[in-house]
Amino acid sequence: MAHEPADRTPTPVDAIAERWVATLVDLSPDTATYIGAPGRLDEYTDFSPEGRERYAAAARATLAELAAASPVDDTDRVTIADLSAELSLDLELADAGWDQRDLNVIASPAQGIREIFDLMPTAAEGDWRTIAGKLGNVAGALEGYTATLREGIAAGNTPARRQVLEVLDQARRTAAADGFFPEFAASAGEGEAPVPASLQADLDRNARAAAEAYGAFAQFLEAELLPAAREHDPVGRELYALMSRRFLGAVIDLDETYEWGIEELARMVEEQTRIAGEILPGATVAEAIAHLEQDPSRKLHGREALQAWMQNLSDTAIEELSRTHFEIPEPVKELECMIAPTPGGAIYYTGPTDDFSRPGRMWWSIPEGVDEFDTWRETTTVYHEGVPGHHLQIGQAVYNRAQLNSWRRLLAGTSGHAEGWALYAERLMEELGYLDDPADRLGMLDGQRMRAARVVLDIGVHLGKTHPETGAVWTSDDAFAFMRKNVNMNDGFVTFEVNRYLGWPGQAPSYKVGQRIWEQIRDAAKAKQGAAFSNKAFHKHALDLGGVGLDTLRGALLG
């Protein structure tokens, strides 16, 4: 049974953080949807230059408040350090013109304006009225975003041509008459209690308008942004350093990390080769994988089978780990495994609402035409996205209301903290005996090898480093060949992944670098505490902090 955290009296620093959350909810109604807070849920963030400036002004005001604040305790000190670092970096990125070129294949407003509908409640008639209003506001959101991208065109600060072409294809699919919006609106009439005809008419009309807005956005991309787009993918050292800090919440030596990435990749290859021999004596990694892919006992057929399998595996892990290695609060024990409504190919997690009325969810976005799945590949993915990975980490923070302000529980943190923890959790599950099957362990190593390769590829391409195999300067073409060599995935997956790295600099390495920093911190805590060290206590202390940057995490856990 998990222990209830002791209450803590909110401080003036907590009040500053709470006001910042309220400001975010006001400036970004999508933030309210994500955390389950009340707000203008039928509206959108203002992605226009004027909206960006309003955000910057609010960030500057909050930074001034934090600078003048006096911390009461260590919790305050963490809040001041981490929120100040995040807001300062947001302003640095704005000054560097990132907003003007923020278009990529996976995580830019081009996708977010559509994807927020995946998190909107649909159980009640009032929910669908909110959705109808938001569908009617898609056009305005895209127009504001377009204005910012046009500002970038005028300044000669544009995304790479590769990203524009890929997003153009995405926008055209979203704009289709049989695309997401019409199908989503039609689903309102398919349940046990269909919405009234007048509301259905509003939904259908506004869904058509939303699809048409994406059509207009596609025309802008083709006619205006594409001719102005940069031909080259690399962003260079200065911008890359900012993005690396954004995703890690830590300053790292990029050159040392590149060399470490090369060494880590070699270690992963050696480990994979050894495990392949356990699966099939004398086999190469490719031969062991081919052998596993012919094993019908490790196959799932159909989306329903995949969903049921991952839900069962997740439920089992939560039940067993809560009895042994982790204190898991009751609300966090619920995790829904979902098939995503769009076929992008990503696997991702969305956190619970503040009151846990919407539980944490693990999403599988299955590419079109894919109907067969290998359990040996995906066992470690369930642990990565679920427990003890993202769901435990994020759910524990949301639950810790007695100790943490809303910003710390619901919005703080970095990719390096979250994704680093999730990779750390995969290795932890190996330590705990959950990956004793060599096939499942090979699947884990397949992912770990990919993440190591991404460190080398991402830093190598964007900083123009020397390729470890050719001795020449990295090119974008090298990236595709390097990735194909280091993952056992189809070409469609490789293409999507590399396009993602090229358009979202610094994010892909944050997984493996974050894992490295988590492991360094745990090793340092072990050395410091000696025989008194407990994995269970270390993990609870770390997760009770909520989301923080990795430099903040190191300071909080090691002093």
Side-chain angles (χ1 to χ4, degrees):
M1 177 70 68
H3 299 296
E4 293 288 335
D7 285 343
R8 171 177 172 271
T9 301
T11 68
V13 170
D14 290 320
I16 294 171
E18 295 291 352
R19 286 196 295 275
W20 176 244
V21 173
T23 297
L24 283 178
V25 166
D26 181 57
L27 293 174
S28 172
D30 294 345
T31 298
T33 296
Y34 184 79
I35 65 176
R40 304 186 311 278
L41 303 182
D42 60 343
E43 297 183 25
Y44 271 103
T45 303
D46 183 352
F47 296 106
S48 72
E50 295 77 16
R52 303 288 193 183
E53 181 49 42
R54 280 192 289 275
Y55 177 89
R60 286 190 287 268
T62 300
L63 274 170
E65 287 190 85
L66 291 167
S70 297
V72 170
D73 55 16
D74 286 343
T75 300
D76 275 358
R77 280 182 273 277
V78 169
T79 298
I80 291 172
D82 220 56
L83 183 51
S84 296
E86 179 172 307
L87 296 178
S88 296
L89 185 54
D90 282 349
L91 294 173
E92 286 185 69
L93 283 164
D95 289 343
W98 177 251
D99 291 341
Q100 296 176 341
R101 61 194 288 180
D102 183 13
L103 180 132
N104 62 57
V105 301
I106 191 170
S108 61
Q111 295 81 29
I113 289 169
R114 204 273 334 136
E115 289 175 351
I116 191 62
F117 289 98
D118 295 349
L119 298 182
M120 296 185 73
T122 58
E125 181 180 323
D127 295 332
W128 283 108
R129 291 194 185 280
T130 301
I131 288 168
K134 199 168 188 84
L135 287 168
N137 286 321
V138 167
L142 286 169
E143 287 165 5
Y145 180 40
T146 298
T148 296
L149 294 173
R150 281 197 175 111
E151 193 178 65
I153 294 172
N157 181 33
T158 56
R161 178 179 178 84
R162 183 190 312 275
Q163 302 301 316
V164 180
L165 285 170
E166 293 296 324
V167 176
L168 172 59
D169 183 60
Q170 292 175 354
R172 284 172 173 160
R173 291 201 303 271
T174 304
D178 59 350
F180 168 80
F181 290 116
E183 289 189 0
F184 182 51
S187 69
E190 295 171 356
E192 293 182 2
V195 300
S198 60
L199 176 53
Q200 186 66 61
D202 289 342
L203 285 162
D204 292 340
R205 181 180 62 254
N206 289 352
R208 288 192 297 271
E212 289 168 2
Y214 264 92
F217 181 61
Q219 290 175 359
F220 157 74
L221 294 176
E222 184 174 31
E224 298 182 48
L225 190 55
L226 187 59
R230 294 179 298 115
E231 291 296 328
H232 301 293
D233 297 295
V235 300
R237 183 177 288 265
E238 185 175 350
L239 180 55
Y240 191 90
L242 287 175
M243 296 298 285
S244 175
R245 280 172 50 205
R246 178 190 193 186
F247 290 118
L248 290 173
V251 177
I252 61 170
D253 182 329
L254 293 171
D255 299 303
E256 185 275 337
T257 302
Y258 179 71
E259 297 301 325
W260 169 81
I262 294 171
E263 295 168 1
E264 182 71 0
L265 178 58
R267 285 192 289 272
M268 295 301 98
V269 172
E270 187 279 330
E271 193 173 355
Q272 264 196 313
T273 301
R274 178 166 46 80
I275 299 299
E278 294 182 24
I279 294 168
L280 194 66
T284 64
V285 173
E287 288 167 345
I289 289 172
H291 172 76
L292 292 174
E293 287 180 340
Q294 299 304 311
D295 184 349
S297 70
R298 301 181 186 275
K299 292 285 185 187
L300 298 170
H301 300 278
R303 298 179 177 209
E304 290 184 3
L306 172 65
Q307 185 172 13
W309 171 82
M310 62 182 184
Q311 187 70 63
N312 179 68
L313 184 62
S314 173
D315 291 345
T316 300
I318 291 171
E319 194 275 328
E320 292 180 358
L321 291 173
S322 68
R323 289 190 281 103
T324 53
H325 299 287
F326 292 95
E327 292 187 15
I328 305 179
E330 284 300 320
V332 182
K333 290 181 180 179
E334 182 178 4
L335 172 64
E336 290 184 347
C337 298
M338 311 285 287
I339 303 300
T342 49
I347 301 169
Y348 57 96
Y349 171 82
T350 56
T353 51
D354 192 15
D355 61 358
F356 286 91
S357 60
R358 185 191 73 221
R361 289 171 175 166
M362 181 192 317
W363 298 84
W364 236 274
S365 176
I366 301 171
E368 293 178 2
V370 174
D371 198 48
E372 189 174 83
F373 311 93
D374 296 300
T375 58
W376 66 271
R377 289 186 191 274
E378 307 303 354
T379 294
T380 195
T381 304
V382 173
Y383 300 144
H384 178 110
E385 301 293 342
V387 171
H390 289 317
H391 179 62
L392 178 61
Q393 177 189 40
I394 293 169
Q396 177 69 27
V398 174
Y399 176 76
N400 196 10
R401 178 184 296 274
Q403 288 290 311
L404 302 179
N405 58 58
S406 296
W407 181 75
R408 291 274 298 278
R409 289 186 302 108
L410 302 173
L411 294 171
T414 63
S415 175
H417 183 276
E419 298 295 353
W421 167 265
L423 283 189
Y424 170 89
E426 290 185 43
R427 281 294 195 181
L428 184 65
M429 289 300 271
E430 180 188 21
E431 292 177 23
L432 298 178
Y434 282 81
L435 296 173
D436 282 351
D437 184 331
D440 291 340
R441 203 153 71 253
L442 186 68
M444 182 270 290
L445 288 169
D446 198 46
Q448 293 266 337
R449 177 177 177 176
M450 177 184 73
R451 273 57 177 254
R454 295 191 321 195
V455 174
V456 181
L457 184 161
D458 205 72
I459 297 175
V461 170
H462 286 292
L463 268 62
K465 303 286 288 183
T466 299
H467 194 291
E469 296 167 356
T470 69
V473 174
W474 273 89
T475 68
S476 298
D477 288 343
D478 291 332
F480 290 93
F482 187 77
M483 199 64 183
R484 288 187 184 97
K485 179 179 178 181
N486 284 291
V487 299
N488 296 288
M489 300 289 182
N490 62 49
D491 256 12
F493 173 87
V494 170
T495 298
F496 178 83
E497 282 290 300
V498 175
N499 284 337
R500 164 189 162 191
Y501 313 152
L502 296 176
W504 208 17
Q507 196 272 342
S510 68
Y511 293 60
K512 195 68 176 171
V513 176
Q515 178 191 8
R516 182 192 192 193
I517 294 173
W518 270 102
E519 290 171 349
Q520 288 172 338
I521 293 171
R522 185 180 71 168
D523 290 346
K526 277 185 178 179
K528 184 176 181 179
Q529 297 174 28
F533 177 83
S534 157
N535 258 339
K536 188 173 185 178
F538 172 80
H539 294 144
K540 185 175 190 317
H541 185 190
L543 296 183
D544 278 348
L545 291 170
V548 290
L550 289 169
D551 277 347
T552 304
L553 181 73
R554 191 189 300 273
L557 294 180
L558 300 179

